[in-house]
């Protein structure tokens, strides 16, 4: 407050509060655009800062394998190993499509030192809106994310496939592994989002199909200019016309299928080889590779819903059937039955229920969504939509309820083309996961389902909610041990376990140096695929350009491949390491729970951070909390606004709280040298600490130091600062460093530059929140200050893109 009042007094002629606030909005606009300019500069410098063929690249891995005599082992692993990147619309970054386009174009102009064009783009940026006047729909979010599919990932994934085919397999790869797959949540993720329904899913699936056909159409038009040879020219012309019709008149003409495309391109290829000296063969092969990867679906739509909703749907469906004079599907006392009794009831259910018998609401929409999966598969093939994720999965009956709903919607046991994926999120759920899966593996009904799915089971593990529930160290260790236990139980029953990680952008939500996590997993964790969610600023930072996308995808692919290829020379967790990790996790969990149970914990966050304004910022289609109750309960609070609010306070509690206390207690117990040895030898633990350092480097208690003198909340501020200082001191000692992120000069410089750019915005936000809490602020000005708080959120979070 003093900083801003002093600034206006010394440097401006603004006298009235209205004039001051108008200036603050202008400053917010200016800082937002500074952030975009810096994004473009970093993108332009990407290949200078990063060695595209260095450690973690496929070229480096291939050379390493050749040197170790493991080239054949690498090929064998590549035949079955893949990475699945799932784009989500979680509100952790707020650039509209128009701004993304400017960043992309500006980075090209910057890399060429084209100052005239850069100047034009900066002017364009100055008058381009950055925020949504109304809340985006799920379809809006989908269209925004499709920009990355069409402009970046289509090209970078194609490049990677080409490299593997030509350089590693010497053009002899004949398998069906795409190496990298894309998943997509906008339009399918309806966990707590009342605006997503079956119609949305179908609309997004159609848009994805149109987007990939457009990509093929563009490639065919370019190829047509080269393939001008007798016979080939006619075939290319016919293919171009067919693709054109599929894009611009999709409902009039027959839909082209993946098989049709591959057959036509294969015929063209054969003619090139036979009659035309294989001229431009690599270019036609490149297009064939893309069709194999993306088909006509581009990215697979995942459907997600909370387990509690499925129980509600079954009960409402039962009531609707009774009201229509039809036989019940459940006994009247269903809710009071034991889980075994419920499963016995559910196991025999099958029907072909029309959702029209249900009134408008969640039950009808859930059934329509299940029917929509079938429609998408008919349109885009099974690859287009074949996964149903159960949030908040706490017991086996949650999985069987979903299975029963599919059977009630006409899905047959011997043609069940959907993977049912339980999502284990809280610390308790992670501990119970092994028992849940063993029960399912031995249940005859589910064993028949697994037979249909080639004895493969995907399980999702939630980093974001795990951290929110149990704190940073305990969440990560719980997920590690859950993966070990789930691997062991799956191997016992000859099931191939696949793990899908729900990761966010910042380290506290599973982000940070993600590839290092996958490279650090031992033999006791199944390593068949890497599957992870990517969202918000992580999408921009990792996949903002073709070069950065290719680099980061190769890093992930290489991490998973090298984990198995070179596991014999990597340090594995010893029993003593496990003891140390258990103790560290337990102590940090207790420290975090003690803080979380403080009576003012949530109100502190509401008072000083923008937590209450997430829902008013029009940044996402999904509400900022689960449930419709008026008050805010911790368990209903979503991980994104929870972590984001700590980030905007520059306190980043979820990324380190409890770590210092745990390290201190180990030191007091005489185990400090053991912990230091574990840090030196184990990449998993080192990565945990490195990512915690990143969270701490992004913290700045100077911003909120005034809270220290607050009679109500001062003690909480002191508590957080004390844990931060303790953690800061001990992680530096543990890593033999003199500063945070000492070994990552580039990442550290980026964070500090962005913090410098965004500091005025942070100051403005705290100022606006203080004015909101003042009793003498007029009601009409409170509305203005609310807008200033939400406006400042955009630039602050966009500036955190390097949290990836």
């Amino acid at each position: 407050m003093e900083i801003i009042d002093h600034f206006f007094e010394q440097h401006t002629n603004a006298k009235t509060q209205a004039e001051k606030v108008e200036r603050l909005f202008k400053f917010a606009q200016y800082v937002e655009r500074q952030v975009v300019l810096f994004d473009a500069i970093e993108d332009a410098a990407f290949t200078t800062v990063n060695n595209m063929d260095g450690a973690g690249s496929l070229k480096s891995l291939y050379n390493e394998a050749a040197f170790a005599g493991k080239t054949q082992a690498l090929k064998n692993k590549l035949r079955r190993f893949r990475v699945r990147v799932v784009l989500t619309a979680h509100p952790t970054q707020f650039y509209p499509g128009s701004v993304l386009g400017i960043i992309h174009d500006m980075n090209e102009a910057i890399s060429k030192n084209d100052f005239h064009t850069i100047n034009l783009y900066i002017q364009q940026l100055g008058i381009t809106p950055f925020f949504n006047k109304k809340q985006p729909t799920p379809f809006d979010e989908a269209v925004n994310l499709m920009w990355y599919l069409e402009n970046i990932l289509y090209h970078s994934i194609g490049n990677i496939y080409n490299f593997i085919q030509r350089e590693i397999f010497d053009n002899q790869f004949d398998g069906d592994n795409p190496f990298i797959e894309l998943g997509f949540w906008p339009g399918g993720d309806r966990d707590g989002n009342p605006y997503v329904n079956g119609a949305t899913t179908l609309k997004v699936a159609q848009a994805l199909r149109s987007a990939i056909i457009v990509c093929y159409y563009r490639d065919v038009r370019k190829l047509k200019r080269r393939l001008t040879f007798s016979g080939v020219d006619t075939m290319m012309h016919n293919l171009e016309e067919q693709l054109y019709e599929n894009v611009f008149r999709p409902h009039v003409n027959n839909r082209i299928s993946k098989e049709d495309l591959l057959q036509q391109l294969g015929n063209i290829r054969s003619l090139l080889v036979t009659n035309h000296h294989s001229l431009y063969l690599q270019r036609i092969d490149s297009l064939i590779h893309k069709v194999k990867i993306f088909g006509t679906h581009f990215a697979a739509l995942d459907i997600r819903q909370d387990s509690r909703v499925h129980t509600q749907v079954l009960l409402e469906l039962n009531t609707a059937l009774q009201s229509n004079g039809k036989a019940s599907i459940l006994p009247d006392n269903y809710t009071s039955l034991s889980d075994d009794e419920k499963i016995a009831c559910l196991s025999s259910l099958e029907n072909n229920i029309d959702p029209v018998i249900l009134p408008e609401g969640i039950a009808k929409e859930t059934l329509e969504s299940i029917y929509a999966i079938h429609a998408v598969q008919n349109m885009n093939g099974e690859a287009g939509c074949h996964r149903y994720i159960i949030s908040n999965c706490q017991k086996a009956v949650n999985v069987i309820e979903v299975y029963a709903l599919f059977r009630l919607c006409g899905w047959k046991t011997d043609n069940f083309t959907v993977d049912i994926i339980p999502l284990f999120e809280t610390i308790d759920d992670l501990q119970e996961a092994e028992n849940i899966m063993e029960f399912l593996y031995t249940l005859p009904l589910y064993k028949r389902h697994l037979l249909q799915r080639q004895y493969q089971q995907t399980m999702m593990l939630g980093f974001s909610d795990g951290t929110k529930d149990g704190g940073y160290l305990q969440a990560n260790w719980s997920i590690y041990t859950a993966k070990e236990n789930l691997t062991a139980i799956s191997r016992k029953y000859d099931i191939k376990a696949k793990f899908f990680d729900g990761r966010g952008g910042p380290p506290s939500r599973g982000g940070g140096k993600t590839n290092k996590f996958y490279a650090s997993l031992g033999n006791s964790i199944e390593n068949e695929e890497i599957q992870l969610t990517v969202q918000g600023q992580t999408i921009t930072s990792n996949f903002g350009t073709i070069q950065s996308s290719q680099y980061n995808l190769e890093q992930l692919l290489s991490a998973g491949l090298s984990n198995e290829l070179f596991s014999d020379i990597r340090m594995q967790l010893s029993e003593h390491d496990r003891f140390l990790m258990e103790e560290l996790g337990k102590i940090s969990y207790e420290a975090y729970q003690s803080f979380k149970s403080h009576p003012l914990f949530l109100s502190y966050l509401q008072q000083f951070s923008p937590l209450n304004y997430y829902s008013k910022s029009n940044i996402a289609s999904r509400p900022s909390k689960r449930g419709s109750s008026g008050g805010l309960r911790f368990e209903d609070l979503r991980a994104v606004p929870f972590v984001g609010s700590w980030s905007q306070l520059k306190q980043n509690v979820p990324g380190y709280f409890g770590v210092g206390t745990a390290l201190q207690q180990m030191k007091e117990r005489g185990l400090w040298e053991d912990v230091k040895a574990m840090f030196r030898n184990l990449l998993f633990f080192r990565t945990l600490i490195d990512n915690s350092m990143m969270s701490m480097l992004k913290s700045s208690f100077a911003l909120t130091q005034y809270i220290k003198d607050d009679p109500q909340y001062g003690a909480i501020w002191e508590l957080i600062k004390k844990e931060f200082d303790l953690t800061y001191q001990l992680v530096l000692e543990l890593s033999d460093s003199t500063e945070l992120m000492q070994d990552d000069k580039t990442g550290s410089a980026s964070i500090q530059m962005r913090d410098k750019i965004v500091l005025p915005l942070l100051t403005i936000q705290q100022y606006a929140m203080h004015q909101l809490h003042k009793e003498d602020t007029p009601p009409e000005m409170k509305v203005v200050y609310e807008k200033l708080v939400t406006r400042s959120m955009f630039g602050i979070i966009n500036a955190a893109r390097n949290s990836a």
Side-chain angles (χ1 to χ4, degrees):
M1 281 43 82
E2 289 172 9
I3 289 167
I4 286 183
D5 287 343
H6 178 78
F7 173 83
F8 279 119
E9 190 178 310
Q10 292 294 313
H11 301 290
T12 76
N13 296 320
K15 300 298 180 191
T16 68
Q17 196 61 21
E19 286 176 327
K20 291 177 181 178
V21 169
E22 187 182 351
R23 295 281 180 95
L24 293 177
F25 274 108
K26 291 289 184 189
F27 296 150
Q29 285 180 297
Y30 180 75
V31 173
E32 279 176 343
R33 284 153 180 80
Q34 273 190 301
V35 171
V36 170
L37 181 57
F38 191 67
D39 284 348
I41 290 168
E42 277 202 331
D43 286 346
F46 189 88
T47 54
T48 306
V49 171
N50 299 280
N51 183 354
M52 300 296 287
D53 294 328
S57 69
L58 285 176
K59 186 172 183 178
S60 173
L61 178 68
Y62 181 58
N63 291 337
E64 192 180 353
F67 183 76
K70 295 189 174 185
T71 305
Q72 190 57 48
L74 173 61
K75 290 180 180 180
N76 293 342
K77 183 65 177 174
L78 266 170
R79 288 187 178 279
R80 65 182 193 278
F81 184 81
R82 64 185 67 179
V83 168
R84 176 184 285 252
V85 171
V86 181
L87 304 186
T88 80
H90 292 356
T92 58
Q93 195 229 18
F94 317 130
Y95 290 142
S98 55
V99 175
L100 290 173
I102 296 171
I103 294 175
H104 182 264
D105 295 342
M106 194 185 293
N107 110 58
E108 290 186 356
I110 290 170
S111 62
K112 296 172 186 171
N113 285 327
D114 181 352
F115 294 110
H116 174 70
T117 306
I118 294 167
N119 187 41
L120 285 175
Y121 288 150
I122 288 174
Q123 290 183 61
Q124 180 187 353
L125 199 61
I127 53 178
T128 298
F130 266 52
F131 61 97
N132 301 312
K133 291 194 169 74
K134 59 183 178 58
Q135 191 174 22
T137 67
F139 186 72
D140 294 334
E141 292 173 328
V143 170
N144 254 0
L145 281 186
M146 281 183 212
W147 187 91
Y148 292 98
L149 298 184
E150 293 179 68
N151 294 285
I152 308 295
L153 290 159
Y154 176 75
H155 303 286
S156 60
I157 292 173
N159 292 344
I160 290 171
Y161 191 107
N162 291 341
F163 177 86
I164 293 171
Q165 164 71 284
R166 292 168 191 164
E167 303 300 326
I168 297 179
F169 283 94
D170 197 22
N171 287 315
Q172 299 301 311
F173 180 70
D174 56 356
D176 59 359
N177 185 9
F179 308 122
I180 297 168
E181 293 179 313
L182 292 173
F184 207 70
W185 274 19
D189 179 14
R190 50 191 51 107
D191 174 17
N193 192 335
Y195 309 111
V196 177
N197 53 34
T200 312
T201 301
L202 290 171
K203 190 177 179 184
V204 171
Q206 178 61 61
L208 285 166
R209 178 186 171 87
S210 294
I212 190 60
I213 299 294
V214 165
C215 289
Y216 297 152
Y217 175 71
R218 288 175 184 150
D219 275 1
V220 166
R221 280 180 64 86
K222 289 175 190 170
L223 260 174
K224 192 180 163 192
R225 295 180 62 172
R226 304 279 80 84
L227 303 183
T228 51
F229 325 127
S230 177
V232 173
D233 55 348
T234 308
M235 295 164 81
M236 289 297 294
H237 176 74
N238 291 340
L239 181 55
E240 180 193 9
E241 282 200 333
Q242 202 174 351
L243 290 170
Y244 180 90
E245 293 290 335
N246 267 257
V247 172
F248 297 106
R249 296 201 295 171
H251 303 295
V252 176
N253 287 273
N254 291 331
R255 294 181 182 274
I256 195 166
S257 68
K258 175 182 178 179
E259 292 70 28
D260 292 337
L261 276 166
L262 288 174
Q263 184 175 355
Q264 291 187 54
L265 290 169
N267 292 340
I268 291 166
R269 187 186 193 280
S270 297
L271 200 55
L272 279 178
V273 173
T274 308
N275 294 356
H276 303 294
H277 315 290
S278 298
L279 203 56
Y280 298 118
L281 188 64
Q282 277 202 351
R283 291 184 61 172
I284 196 78
D285 279 345
S286 181
L287 181 53
I288 289 171
H289 297 160
K290 287 172 182 170
V291 175
K292 284 182 178 179
I293 298 165
F294 303 116
T296 56
H297 66 282
F298 214 158
L301 269 168
D302 285 351
I303 309 299
R304 184 172 74 132
Q305 184 55 280
D306 190 285
S307 63
R308 292 163 289 194
V309 169
H310 302 128
T311 308
Q312 179 190 337
V313 171
L314 283 163
L315 294 171
E316 287 189 29
L317 184 55
N318 197 50
T319 303
L321 287 168
Q322 290 173 341
S323 301
N324 283 270
K326 297 184 179 178
S328 301
I329 54 171
L330 300 174
D332 293 339
N333 65 336
Y334 176 77
T335 53
S336 61
L337 296 177
S338 69
D339 284 357
D340 286 347
E341 290 169 329
K342 286 178 180 176
I343 288 170
C345 291
L346 296 166
S347 295
S348 60
L349 296 180
E350 59 180 336
N351 209 314
N352 209 338
I353 294 170
D354 191 332
V356 77
I357 70 165
L358 288 159
E360 295 299 323
I362 190 70
K364 184 177 183 181
E365 288 171 3
T366 302
L367 291 200
E368 287 174 344
S369 295
I370 292 172
Y371 279 104
I373 296 172
H374 204 276
V376 174
Q377 291 191 357
N378 285 337
M379 184 200 314
N380 293 340
E382 184 183 322
C385 188
H386 62 96
R387 292 158 35 118
Y388 196 104
I389 299 158
I390 307 167
S391 298
N392 191 44
C393 189
Q394 298 181 334
K395 42 195 178 180
V397 71
N398 296 151
V399 174
I400 301 306
E401 283 182 338
V402 169
Y403 186 82
L405 283 170
F406 272 84
R407 293 274 300 276
L408 289 167
C409 293
W411 292 72
K412 303 299 180 188
T413 308
D414 58 355
N415 191 28
F416 202 109
T417 53
V418 176
D419 296 311
I420 299 176
I421 302 175
L423 166 51
F424 304 112
E425 299 177 270
T426 66
I427 303 300
D428 289 344
D429 293 349
L430 289 164
Q431 289 173 346
E432 191 59 28
E434 179 187 5
N435 294 332
I436 292 171
M437 295 316 300
E438 180 164 33
F439 181 91
L440 290 169
Y441 290 159
T442 56
L443 187 69
L445 176 76
Y446 202 74
K447 283 167 74 175
R448 289 201 299 276
H449 169 63
L450 287 171
L451 170 64
Q452 290 293 310
R453 306 311 291 161
Q454 288 78 49
Y455 293 109
Q456 298 180 27
Q457 175 66 55
T458 301
M459 292 155 282
M460 189 173 178
L461 304 155
F463 282 77
S464 298
D465 282 290
T467 305
K468 173 180 158 255
D469 178 54
Y472 177 71
L473 269 186
Q474 182 64 17
N476 279 279
W477 178 239
S478 294
I479 287 169
Y480 189 95
T481 53
K483 283 186 175 182
E484 287 189 318
N485 296 336
L486 288 167
T487 296
I489 205 67
S490 299
R491 287 173 178 171
K492 178 182 174 182
Y493 292 99
D494 294 323
I495 307 296
K496 186 63 74 175
K498 296 183 177 182
F499 297 114
F500 178 22
D501 293 330
R503 293 182 176 275
S508 51
R509 294 184 49 238
K513 304 298 181 185
T514 309
N515 59 303
K516 287 188 179 179
F517 267 109
Y518 291 113
S520 72
L521 302 181
N523 296 335
S524 56
I525 292 176
E526 197 69 77
N527 183 36
E528 195 68 14
E529 292 186 12
I530 288 177
Q531 300 185 22
L532 73 163
T533 55
V534 185
Q535 54 194 252
Q537 73 270 46
T538 317
I539 297 174
T540 311
S541 60
N542 280 5
F543 310 115
T545 67
I546 293 171
Q547 293 85 355
S548 65
S549 173
Q550 189 167 334
Y551 175 86
N552 286 298
L553 287 171
E554 284 194 26
Q555 292 282 321
L556 279 174
L557 197 54
S558 183
L561 293 165
S562 62
N563 194 358
E564 182 170 313
L565 285 177
F566 304 110
S567 60
D568 52 339
I569 59 172
R570 292 212 173 132
M571 186 74 72
Q572 304 294 323
L573 265 79
S574 67
E575 284 306 310
H576 188 56
D577 292 330
R578 288 179 181 282
F579 164 74
L580 294 173
M581 285 302 306
E582 287 285 350
E583 291 299 298
L584 286 165
K586 185 171 69 175
I587 298 163
S588 68
Y589 177 76
E590 288 167 357
Y592 178 70
Q593 294 302 322
S594 172
F595 175 48
K596 216 169 69 172
S597 62
H598 192 291
L600 295 177
F601 176 78
L602 257 189
S603 62
Y604 174 85
L605 208 50
Q606 289 177 288
Q607 180 78 8
F608 298 107
S609 83
L611 178 65
N612 291 344
Y613 301 96
Y614 265 80
S615 58
K616 299 178 182 181
S617 58
N618 292 333
I619 56 178
S621 69
R622 190 172 72 166
S624 60
K625 69 183 184 73
R626 292 179 172 90
S628 54
S629 58
L632 181 64
R633 300 186 310 162
F634 181 79
E635 55 269 32
D636 290 337
L637 183 59
R638 292 191 177 280
V640 169
F642 176 71
V643 172
S645 296
W646 286 114
S647 172
Q648 301 219 356
L649 263 182
K650 299 299 281 182
Q651 292 182 351
N652 285 324
V653 160
Y656 62 82
F657 200 94
V659 175
T661 298
L663 292 173
Q664 178 67 27
Q665 286 199 29
M666 298 302 269
K667 198 171 191 179
E668 290 168 358
R669 287 161 58 177
L671 293 165
W672 185 242
E673 289 306 316
D674 302 50
V675 175
K676 287 193 79 170
M678 186 165 68
F679 178 85
R680 285 193 304 272
N681 297 328
L682 281 177
L683 182 59
F684 172 73
F685 182 57
R686 193 160 64 250
T687 303
L688 274 182
I689 298 299
D690 285 350
N691 282 339
S692 193
M693 286 190 192
M694 184 190 286
S695 288
M696 296 177 74
L697 187 62
K698 291 175 175 238
S699 302
S700 174
F701 282 81
L703 178 73
T704 53
Q705 192 164 342
Y706 70 93
I707 302 172
K708 183 179 178 181
D709 301 321
D710 188 285
Q712 188 175 11
Y713 294 103
I716 291 192
W717 188 91
E718 293 267 26
L719 179 68
I720 299 167
K721 181 66 162 62
K722 183 180 176 185
E723 182 66 22
F724 176 88
D725 289 343
L726 179 64
T727 309
Y728 179 88
Q729 170 205 329
L730 290 174
V731 296
L732 289 184
E733 189 179 337
L734 181 66
S735 59
D736 291 323
S737 303
T738 55
E739 59 186 51
L740 296 172
M741 292 182 67
Q742 187 168 296
D743 295 333
D744 183 4
K745 298 294 185 190
T746 306
S748 173
S750 175
I751 288 169
Q752 292 180 66
M753 177 65 80
R754 287 170 180 279
D755 279 355
K756 189 175 179 181
I757 292 170
V758 89
L759 185 58
L761 265 189
L762 292 160
T763 314
I764 289 168
Q765 186 181 82
Q766 285 293 310
Y767 175 82
M769 292 191 67
H770 178 76
Q771 298 292 351
L772 277 169
H773 296 314
K774 280 172 64 177
E775 290 183 5
D776 60 348
T777 302
E780 65 275 10
M781 285 305 294
K782 286 199 171 186
V783 174
V784 176
Y785 286 124
E786 272 195 8
K787 286 181 181 174
L788 194 53
V789 169
T790 55
R791 235 358 249 291
S792 60
M793 287 169 65
F794 288 69
I796 294 169
I797 292 189
N798 287 341
R801 87 189 294 206
N802 50 22
S803 58

